[in-house]
Amino acid sequence: MRENLTRWLYQAMGFQNGLARTQRIESISKATKLNKTEPKEDQMDISTDVKYISWLKEHPSALSSFEEMMDVAKGKWVVVFLDYDGTLSPIVNDPERAFMSDMMRSAVRDVAKLYPTAIISGRSRQKVYGFVKLDDVFYAGSHGMDIMGPAIQASCYDGKYQSKALDQKGNELTVFQPAQDFLPSIEKMLNELEETTSEINGALVEDNRFCISVHYRHVLQEDLGLLEKKVQTLVAKYPGFHLTRGKKVIEIRPSIKWNKGDALVYLLETLGFTNSSDVLPIYIGDDKTDEDAFKVLNSRGQGYPIIVSSNPRDTMASYSLRDPSEVLSFLIRLARWGEVSAV
């Protein structure tokens, strides 16, 4: 039973070397049976496999489902949206060292040559660009509150928050910043936070331009309550802000109706796909904040929301990828599919 479940799991996840992995796990499993001191761990593995297999039925691997997905994409305009941390780069202990690999950068570059591509991140736009270093990609930082997109300005959005800019190559783009009015308060909060959290070892305050991230990955368990209280006390002084949570991070964000889903809609509109039935957006992300974009795609009834997760979790995504390495494989296949389709 154990061996059959494992074989099915790796096939469902689209691993090319699934048999080798399965055989290795089978040998480990047999060795474990001989060691009576570790039955609980093996039972836990079986339980995890079963839960993941069940979850995969609802959110199948985008790798094993690739051909089926691309059959629908034929004759449509594909647009690609990507989160950064946990999607294009692994989650790391030091957020300043969340570097993407050269292979991932090459894959994103190849995809961007074929399809309009945007990276939507909770990081500041400038910081994400510093990691990605590609000019043929649109960037939306601060959970979509700082967008550098197509040159066309969307008439249905307040022109006050849209301005012209040039990219590194001198191409004209539009910068859209709907939370612009909050910047003075954000700068004050940032200074206060850095001072008030300085006594808590491991706490890291990150300036993400239109939102503030307080990382606690290195904070001792006994200090977490104090850190959270300090953050909540500060935010209470600024009624125009609220708290959200991510992976080992507390975020302070302006209380405006704007999220990654809104950024996705804005970019589609400025790309000329406002009411198009011929567009097929693909959004890949691993964070809770990406669920807003998944929700938009589901409401439009078009596109593929893809969650990056190696564990079963509640999500509005239709498909899944385990980790950034599978994201890389998917992007490589997407670029190759696009090249063949263009011939």
Side-chain angles (χ1 to χ4, degrees):
M1 178 65 177
R2 164 74 171 165
E3 290 80 357
N4 291 336
L5 284 173
T6 308
R7 287 177 184 272
W8 193 95
L9 174 63
Y10 282 105
Q11 290 172 358
M13 292 187 297
F15 286 137
Q16 294 179 349
N17 58 340
L19 181 59
R21 291 172 182 261
T22 300
Q23 291 173 338
R24 186 167 68 253
I25 290 177
E26 287 174 357
S27 64
I28 294 174
S29 177
K30 291 176 182 178
T32 303
K33 290 177 182 178
L34 297 175
N35 186 350
K36 296 182 179 180
T37 63
E38 299 182 349
K40 291 184 179 180
E41 182 178 346
D42 189 54
Q43 290 171 3
M44 187 181 299
D45 289 342
I46 294 175
S47 175
T48 301
D49 283 356
V50 171
K51 289 179 180 178
Y52 193 74
I53 289 171
S54 177
W55 185 77
L56 276 177
K57 292 179 181 179
E58 298 295 325
H59 313 284
S61 166
L63 288 177
S64 59
S65 305
F66 186 82
E67 295 300 330
E68 171 190 331
M69 294 167 67
M70 292 303 104
D71 282 343
V72 177
K74 292 177 181 177
K76 295 185 180 293
W77 295 95
V78 174
V79 183
V80 179
F81 299 93
L82 303 164
D83 182 25
Y84 184 75
D85 293 276
T87 299
L88 298 181
S89 74
I91 298 295
V92 294
N93 290 330
D94 182 356
E96 299 298 323
R97 299 188 62 79
F99 305 119
M100 68 189 301
S101 67
D102 290 338
M103 287 184 65
M104 182 68 83
R105 182 174 294 104
S106 177
V108 175
R109 181 189 294 111
D110 290 343
V111 166
K113 289 178 181 177
L114 297 164
Y115 321 105
T117 301
I119 296 174
I120 305 179
S121 171
R123 302 270 198 149
S124 72
R125 175 167 53 84
Q126 291 82 357
K127 190 169 292 183
V128 175
Y129 176 80
F131 281 133
V132 179
K133 301 175 183 176
L134 294 176
D135 293 321
D136 298 327
V137 173
F138 300 118
Y139 294 89
S142 304
H143 299 293
M145 288 181 281
D146 186 8
I147 302 174
M148 180 171 274
I152 299 174
Q153 292 192 0
S155 58
C156 57
Y157 293 91
D158 194 334
K160 171 185 175 182
Y161 303 119
Q162 298 183 88
S163 60
K164 294 294 183 181
L166 299 177
D167 66 11
Q168 299 293 324
K169 291 183 177 180
N171 299 315
E172 187 176 275
L173 297 169
T174 293
V175 174
F176 180 54
Q177 300 174 328
Q180 206 172 90
D181 297 338
F182 292 85
L183 277 178
S185 294
I186 291 173
E187 291 175 3
K188 291 180 182 178
M189 294 173 70
L190 188 64
N191 292 331
E192 289 184 51
L193 264 177
E194 289 176 342
E195 182 178 346
T196 193
T197 62
S198 61
E199 63 189 62
I200 301 177
N201 290 331
L204 175 64
V205 177
E206 183 179 13
D207 178 8
N208 283 318
R209 183 64 170 159
F210 291 97
C211 60
I212 301 172
S213 299
V214 182
H215 299 271
Y216 56 86
R217 188 174 297 275
H218 297 293
V219 175
L220 296 175
Q221 185 68 33
E222 55 264 34
D223 292 333
L224 289 180
L226 176 61
L227 177 62
E228 186 164 338
K229 183 177 180 180
K230 285 180 176 292
V231 175
Q232 289 176 339
T233 300
L234 176 67
V235 174
K237 295 162 52 180
Y238 295 85
F241 294 83
H242 67 282
L243 296 178
T244 62
R245 298 177 184 277
K247 295 179 179 179
K248 301 291 185 180
V249 63
I250 303 171
E251 293 190 310
I252 303 172
R253 296 165 63 177
S255 296
I256 63 171
K257 188 186 179 301
W258 196 266
N259 53 46
K260 289 185 175 183
D262 296 299
L264 182 152
V265 171
Y266 175 86
L267 285 165
L268 284 177
E269 290 185 2
T270 54
L271 285 167
F273 298 118
T274 304
N275 298 309
S276 175
S277 59
D278 293 331
V279 63
L280 193 137
I282 298 174
Y283 190 108
I284 307 177
D286 76 306
D287 197 72
K288 290 181 181 178
T289 58
D290 296 311
E291 294 292 333
D292 293 317
F294 297 163
K295 183 178 180 180
V296 166
L297 293 187
N298 288 333
S299 67
R300 293 172 65 99
Q302 58 183 178
Y304 294 131
I306 304 174
I307 184 74
V308 181
S309 179
S310 57
N311 297 304
R313 55 188 279 192
D314 291 335
T315 180
M316 298 186 71
S318 302
Y319 295 92
S320 66
L321 294 167
R322 281 184 64 87
D323 50 36
S325 68
E326 287 203 0
V327 174
L328 173 62
S329 297
F330 181 87
L331 294 178
I332 290 173
R333 291 185 67 177
L334 183 61
R336 288 175 180 168
W337 181 86
E339 290 172 352
V340 172
S341 301
V343 175

